[in-house]
């Protein structure tokens, strides 16, 4: 019998379907060569060093986060095969510590390029 909470169940179940990663088009060459590597964030996270790769099950969420801070031009969506990887819900670290952010997930290890495929360019 499962003794975790609903969020834990969701994190376990997400492992069998692809997730998405939003990145700048200029990053594609390095991602194709090296994969997605925690700690190399220069995107929506405002150039903060992060120790995770951020993923979503609803690509509309990070595109909406671009908002007025960024032009959607030059951003691409990548599909990531996460089957068998340790996927965790994205939790806040600020004032509301440990709150789960809906539709967002993190992986704290590198993701091999063979698991990543180009999905689409973000439309303006």
């Amino acid at each position: 019998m499962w003794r975790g909470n609903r969020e834990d169940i969701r994190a376990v179940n997400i492992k069998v379907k692809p997730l998405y990663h939003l990145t700048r088009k200029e990053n594609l060459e390095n991602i194709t060569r090296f994969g997605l590597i925690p700690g190399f964030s220069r995107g929506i996270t405002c150039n903060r060093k992060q120790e995770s790769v951020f993923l979503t099950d609803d690509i509309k969420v990070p595109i909406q986060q671009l908002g007025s801070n960024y032009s959607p031009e030059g951003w691409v969506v990548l599909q990531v095969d996460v089957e068998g990887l340790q996927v965790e819900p994205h939790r806040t670290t600020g004032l509301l510590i440990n709150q789960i952010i809906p539709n967002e997930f993190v992986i704290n290890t590198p993701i091999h390029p063979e698991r990543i495929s180009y999905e689409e360019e973000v439309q303006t």
Side-chain angles (χ1 to χ4, degrees):
M1 179 184 202
W2 180 261
R3 299 206 184 273
N5 61 31
R6 280 177 114 42
E7 291 80 12
D8 292 335
I9 292 170
R10 183 174 177 185
V12 170
N13 289 341
I14 200 69
K15 293 179 185 178
V16 297
K17 69 179 188 178
L19 293 177
Y20 302 96
H21 180 79
L22 184 68
T23 191
R24 293 183 182 276
K25 195 172 189 176
E26 65 199 43
N27 296 334
L28 283 178
E29 183 178 338
N30 281 337
I31 291 171
T32 301
R33 290 179 63 201
F34 304 110
L36 291 168
I37 303 171
F40 282 79
S41 179
R42 296 184 319 155
I44 298 173
T45 58
C46 302
N47 296 324
R48 293 178 300 189
K49 183 170 176 152
Q50 301 291 325
E51 297 303 324
S52 303
V53 174
F54 292 86
L55 303 166
T56 182
D57 61 356
D58 182 354
I59 196 57
K60 294 176 193 162
V61 172
I63 291 172
Q64 289 170 349
Q65 289 175 347
L66 287 174
S68 60
N69 295 329
Y70 300 96
S71 165
E73 185 176 304
W75 291 83
V76 295
V77 176
L78 303 176
Q79 181 174 309
V80 181
D81 173 10
V82 296
E83 187 168 354
L85 299 179
Q86 183 64 42
V87 179
E88 302 288 338
H90 182 196
R91 298 177 186 270
T92 59
T93 56
L95 294 175
L96 301 172
I97 294 176
N98 215 23
Q99 297 294 309
I100 292 176
I101 300 174
N103 303 101
E104 293 186 19
F105 302 88
V106 295
I107 293 181
N108 298 316
T109 57
I111 300 172
H112 194 277
E114 290 179 1
R115 291 182 168 270
I116 303 163
S117 60
Y118 177 82
E119 183 72 11
E120 64 182 293
E121 195 162 329
V122 174
Q123 302 299 314
T124 57

